[in-house]
Structure formats: C-alpha cells, structure tokens
Amino acid sequence: MVARAVLVTGSNRGLGLEMVRQLARHVTPPDVIIATCRNPEAAQELQQLSKSHKEVNLLKLDVADEGSYAAMVRSVSEMVGDQGLNLLINNAGVAPKSTRITQVKWQQMVDTFLVNSVAPVMLSKAFLPMLKIAATQAEGSGLSVKRAAIINISSVLGSIEKNDKGGIYPYRASKAALNAITKSLSNDVRDSNILVSSVCPGWTQTDMGGKNAALTPEQSIFNVLHLLSTMNETHHGQFYQYDGVKLPW
Ligand SMILES: NC(=O)c1ccc[n+]([C@@H]2O[C@H](COP(=O)([O-])OP(=O)(O)OC[C@H]3O[C@@H](n4cnc5c(N)ncnc54)[C@H](OP(=O)(O)O)[C@@H]3O)[C@@H](O)[C@H]2O)c1
C-alpha cells in the first residue's frame, strides 16, 4: 500500500486520472483516495472508478479558487477521519503554448503561476494539520509517503540548470517556483516528519504532453508510484524524475 489516505488534485484526466486509477486498482489500495477536480459532474471516468472502487471519493476543487478551500478542507477531514491525510499530490497544472520572449503574455504568466505555484503552497498550508496528524501515527522520525508526504508534480522544464533552450516562460518559471516551494516546505516541516519532494513524471502522452510524447500515462504513473513507495529521508527536499533519477534544480 502506498499510503492510507491520499488526495490528488486535477484527477479528471491525464496523469491525475491515471494516478487515481492505478491507486484504486493496486493490490493493497489506500483506504481513502480523494480524487479532486474542477467539475466532478463531468468527470465520467472518475465517476466510473468511484462506482467500482469504494475507496475513490470525488471532490470538487478548483485549485485557483482560494475561497473554496475552507469548505473543501472540512470535507476532506470528514473523509480521512481521525488518522489524518497521509499523502497530498499537487498534480493539477497548466502549460500555455507561449514560447519565445516576443510571444509571452502578462496574463499567461499570472494564470500559470496561480495554478502551478501559488495553489500548491496554499493547499499544502491548508492540509498541514491533517498531514501532521497522519505523521504522528507512526513511531520514530523516518520519512515515507506511507507516513505523511507532500509530492509536488513538477517538470524537468522547471530545472534552471537543465534549461539550455530558453522560452516557455510561464511554465518553466512556475515549475522552478514550485521547486523552490518544495525546498522551503521541506525545511519547514522536517520536524513534523512530513516528506516533501518534487517529481517530474516525464514527457507523457496527455493533453499537455501531446501524442508524440515518450511515455504513456500508464508507464509514467507506474514508475512514479514505484518511486513514491521507495522514498525516504534521502528524497526529502529533492527533485526526482519518474524513474528515480535525481534532477538538478
Ligand atoms: N504530460 C507531460 O508530459 C508532463 C511532463 C512533466 C510534468 N507534467 C506535469 O504533470 C501534471 C499533470 O499534467 P498532465 O499531463 O496530466 O496535464 P493535462 O492532461 O493537461 O491535465 C491537467 C490537469 O490539471 C487540471 N487543472 C488545471 N487547472 C486546474 C485548476 N485551476 N484546478 C483544478 N485542476 C486544474 C486539469 O483539469 P481540467 O480538466 O478541469 O482543466 C487536468 O485535470 C502537471 O502538473 C504537469 O505540469 C506533465
């Protein structure tokens, strides 16, 4: 089992949907899988999954709508119960097509930062009390996603060191900011025994990655979930590729 209670943002399609699918079909699935998305009524595949897997709970969440957080957090608290939330996967993301400096637009920068950087830090803050409760359920000070963790789904395109092609301003900068958030959070919550890591799922065939991408969602998420299950202190405050290769900031 990856963890007892898991929450995934942006789980109606792409990698988020595949994460929920593989978690639900796992031989030892989590007891509670909270699949959040902007429009649960229209999320037909998620609805099917929740009908066939009692662990899957659908919950409405537009990560950019801070005003909805308080009620949403109350719902999550009821779903996870007194053992808290073990694993928050900040997966929801956007990638505008903007490329070169001559094309980049003000609003694209603002909107992309809101979803890819601002929301993950504010959601982490909102779920911290529930993550702390989960972290206290295990003895010792070892870190694992089974105990308590925040996984930020980042991108190699957010690596400053690996950026040798330029462009893609909103996406690259927002994922670099997300990585900075991972680092700060990892320092802030170490004493609470909560693991924090950035993970790049690899170039994958989703609406975002396009049909020519190298990996299928099944391949990407199979590897990501395996990586998560192996994570410990050495992964804390670090940036990894789906296959476990460590990435430079
Ligand atoms: N695919 C790749 O090659 C690749 C590579 C590296 C990293 N990543 C990262 O992996 C994550 C998932 O990407 P993907 O490939 O699955 O992309 P995708 O197919 O475009 O799906 C994006 C998901 O994010 C959701 N989302 C966007 N804005 C949201 C908001 N304001 N509130 C809630 N949900 C929102 C979308 O929901 P709606 O349907 O409501 O829009 C959708 O569920 C992203 O963080 C992305 O940056 C992807």
Side-chain angles (χ1 to χ4, degrees):
M1 186 178 81
V2 176
R4 191 195 74 90
V6 182
L7 185 146
V8 184
T9 65
S11 62
N12 55 307
R13 60 188 166 98
L15 294 171
L17 175 63
E18 186 58 28
M19 250 177 240
V20 171
R21 194 181 279 135
Q22 289 194 26
L23 284 169
R25 292 179 180 165
H26 198 272
V27 277
T28 52
D31 292 349
V32 185
I33 303 169
I34 305 172
T36 75
C37 62
R38 285 197 271 204
N39 188 359
E41 294 78 29
Q44 298 201 344
E45 283 168 281
L46 269 187
Q47 286 183 24
Q48 287 301 326
L49 268 175
S50 77
K51 279 188 191 128
S52 53
H53 296 84
K54 62 175 177 16
E55 301 84 2
V56 177
N57 302 267
L58 268 66
L59 188 63
K60 185 178 173 67
L61 173 61
D62 178 340
V63 299
D65 179 11
E66 192 195 5
S68 70
Y69 279 21
M72 181 275 301
V73 167
R74 278 196 296 277
S75 301
V76 172
S77 179
E78 281 168 23
M79 288 172 184
V80 300
D82 56 12
Q83 291 180 68
L85 176 69
N86 302 90
L87 175 57
L88 167 63
I89 302 183
N90 284 313
N91 165 76
V94 289
K97 294 285 173 242
S98 149
T99 53
R100 311 313 305 184
I101 186 63
T102 49
Q103 304 297 319
V104 67
K105 306 227 172 20
W106 181 285
Q107 205 56 44
Q108 282 177 332
M109 291 297 294
V110 172
D111 293 347
T112 309
F113 264 80
L114 191 56
V115 174
N116 292 2
S117 324
V118 179
V121 72
M122 299 315 290
L123 283 171
S124 300
K125 179 185 173 191
F127 287 119
L128 210 46
M130 273 183 258
L131 288 159
K132 284 183 177 174
I133 290 171
T136 61
Q137 309 292 310
E139 294 193 351
S141 58
L143 299 180
S144 68
V145 301
K146 196 170 175 176
R147 178 177 210 153
I150 298 168
I151 300 298
N152 290 324
I153 300 298
S154 185
S155 169
V156 68
L157 293 176
S159 167
I160 292 171
E161 192 174 321
K162 285 182 96 67
N163 183 355
D164 54 4
K165 294 201 172 63
I168 326 178
Y169 288 89
Y171 192 69
R172 282 193 193 279
S174 66
K175 292 294 189 183
L178 180 62
N179 288 343
I181 287 160
T182 293
K183 197 64 173 178
S184 268
L185 260 176
S186 72
N187 286 311
D188 289 346
V189 303
R190 179 63 188 91
D191 289 347
S192 302
N193 298 323
I194 299 169
L195 172 76
V196 189
S197 242
S198 279
V199 172
C200 172
W203 185 31
T204 309
Q205 296 158 20
T206 62
D207 292 340
M208 187 184 291
K211 61 180 183 336
N212 296 325
L215 300 169
T216 64
E218 292 80 3
Q219 291 168 329
S220 165
I221 295 306
F222 180 82
N223 281 280
V224 167
L225 291 180
H226 174 70
L227 170 64
L228 297 198
S229 72
T230 65
M231 281 187 165
N232 57 31
E233 293 72 24
T234 60
H235 299 83
H236 186 58
Q238 303 295 335
F239 182 21
Y240 286 90
Q241 197 165 271
Y242 64 98
D243 55 5
V245 170
K246 193 170 165 190
L247 290 169
W249 299 117

